[in-house]
Amino acid sequence: MSRLATLSDEQLIEEALKGSEAHFDVLVERYTPQIYRLARGITNSHSEAEDVVQETFLKIFKNLNKFSSDKANFKTWALTIARNQSINTLASIKRKALQFFGDREDDDPEPDFSFNPMSSEAQDAETLMSLKQRFYQLEGALKKIPERQKTALILKTQENMSYEEIANVMSVSVSSVESLIFRGRKKLIELLEK
Amino acid sequence: MKCEDFQKRISKLIDKELSADSMDALHRHLLSCADCSEFYERSKDINHVLNSAILMAPNTALAQRVKEKIANKTKGSMTESRPMFWRSVPVYALVALLAVGVGNLAGKTLVHSLLYQNSESALELMIPNGTEYLSDIFVDIGQEGQAQ
Ligand SMILES: [Zn+2]
């Protein structure tokens, strides 16, 4: 791990604001996976999610001087921007699909995750295959639930955020997050039963 | 309490958000209710699969591409905008000199014309893209909320 990678978000931002691209790059490395996963969950598309990651970091870069660590932590701020970017992208995908008449299946058919060899479950190729298959099946069901339920579920299950942190990203109350996640789970169970 | 209320608690239990004093009643209910037990098992299973996305990291080249794009942008703002501004000054100076030549600067001096141009460009440099303010970024929350 490089020395910079041990710095806190706030320290990295401070140096980035003084003009250090190297410090900003560490933020990019640190948050690309999380932003990608959220964007992919919302847009259902690998290529759109990659675009969202790029656009999100450009916005973060341009607005870094407006970030205030008193009001939010960087992760919450970055995921809020990523979510809004994803929602806009999703809206434009839907507009385009309408122009071409009908419900185009807009996701990429190829598996586009690469496996993280550091994880313990990676040792077992069969477990991985079955997990991947089940993940793609679940992604199919995720497409059919409302964005807010999906976002709350993704931030909980993939990013392990608390209800309170999720409430901050989504600008809703903690009890709304609780209810969104509950309804999302119920709906996913129903959809997977069919 | 209805099964729906217990299932809400189950959802919180899985998320590690259930308070300790609500656990006992839930555990007792789970022992006697097949529907809620099934909801618990299925929810746990969905969680496990959703969580597996963590194992499947995005392409490592993505972060690299983002860094390159930002590096290009910063280079772009240093090398493109400034020469464009300085290139435009002689044109204005020429126009202004022509105006002096016919003895009419529409009430403005040559210095005033150049200063006016100067301040406009400085503003453009300070605000690279006028549409990308935080207010734009935070727009949209809640717009899709009504549908749910
Ligand atoms: Zn029950």
Side-chain angles (χ1 to χ4, degrees), chain B residues 2 6 9 13 16 18-19 25 37 45 49 58 70 72 75 77 98 112 120 130-131 144:
Chain B
K2 288 186 295 183
F6 281 114
R9 286 189 180 187
L13 176 72
K16 300 183 184 73
L18 188 66
S19 61
S37 296
D45 192 50
V49 179
I70 284 168
N72 285 340
K75 265 186 223 126
S77 65
L98 281 171
H112 183 200
E120 209 169 39
T131 60
E144 58 6 305

Side-chain angles (χ1 to χ4, degrees), chain A residues 21 24-25 28-29 32-33 36-37 50 53-55 57-59 61-63 66 77 80-81 83-84 87-88 113-116 119 121 131-132 134-135 138 142 146-149 156-158 162-163 170-171 178 180-183 185-186 188-189 192-193, chain B residues 4 7-17 38-39 42-60 62-67 69-71 73-75 128-129 132-134 136-142 144-146 148:
Chain A
E21 228 167 79
F24 190 80
D25 285 353
V28 172
E29 276 159 25
T32 289
Y36 172 84
R37 283 192 292 264
E50 290 209 329
V53 172
Q54 304 233 10
E55 288 307 314
F57 277 112
L58 282 176
K59 282 194 170 166
F61 186 76
K62 281 181 188 168
N63 293 286
K66 294 177 197 142
W77 188 60
T80 305
I81 296 172
R83 179 189 175 220
N84 292 329
I87 292 171
N88 291 341
F113 284 114
S114 61
F115 195 64
N116 175 5
S119 86
E121 285 194 65
L131 256 183
K132 266 193 173 178
R134 294 176 67 208
F135 180 77
L138 189 57
L142 272 174
E147 180 278 324
R148 296 191 335 142
Q149 294 176 15
K156 182 73 230 177
T157 58
Q158 294 181 1
S162 68
Y163 284 178
M170 298 179 70
S171 298
E178 189 184 314
L180 286 169
I181 290 182
F182 170 67
R183 283 184 285 145
R185 282 206 169 100
K186 230 177 144 90
L188 282 181
I189 291 172
L192 290 169
E193 264 172 5
Chain B
E4 166 121 342
Q7 290 175 7
K8 283 179 183 165
R9 286 189 180 187
I10 290 169
S11 187
K12 286 171 77 173
L13 176 72
I14 288 171
D15 292 339
K16 300 183 184 73
E17 301 264 356
E38 195 181 333
F39 179 82
R42 284 179 181 264
S43 296
K44 266 202 310 193
D45 192 50
I46 285 173
N47 247 45
H48 176 62
V49 179
L50 269 176
N51 188 255
S52 68
I54 288 251
L55 305 178
M56 294 178 267
N59 200 328
T60 47
L62 177 59
Q64 192 53 39
R65 283 207 300 280
V66 172
K67 289 190 266 183
K69 196 162 185 177
I70 284 168
K73 285 266 162 177
T74 49
K75 265 186 223 126
N129 185 342
E132 308 214 82
Y133 283 108
L134 276 191
D136 296 316
I137 293 166
F138 285 104
V139 157
D140 256 303
I141 292 182
E144 58 6 305
Q146 281 76 13
Q148 293 156 42

Side-chain angles (χ1 to χ4, degrees), chain B residues 3 29 33 36:
Chain B
C3 282
H29 181 77
C33 179
C36 288

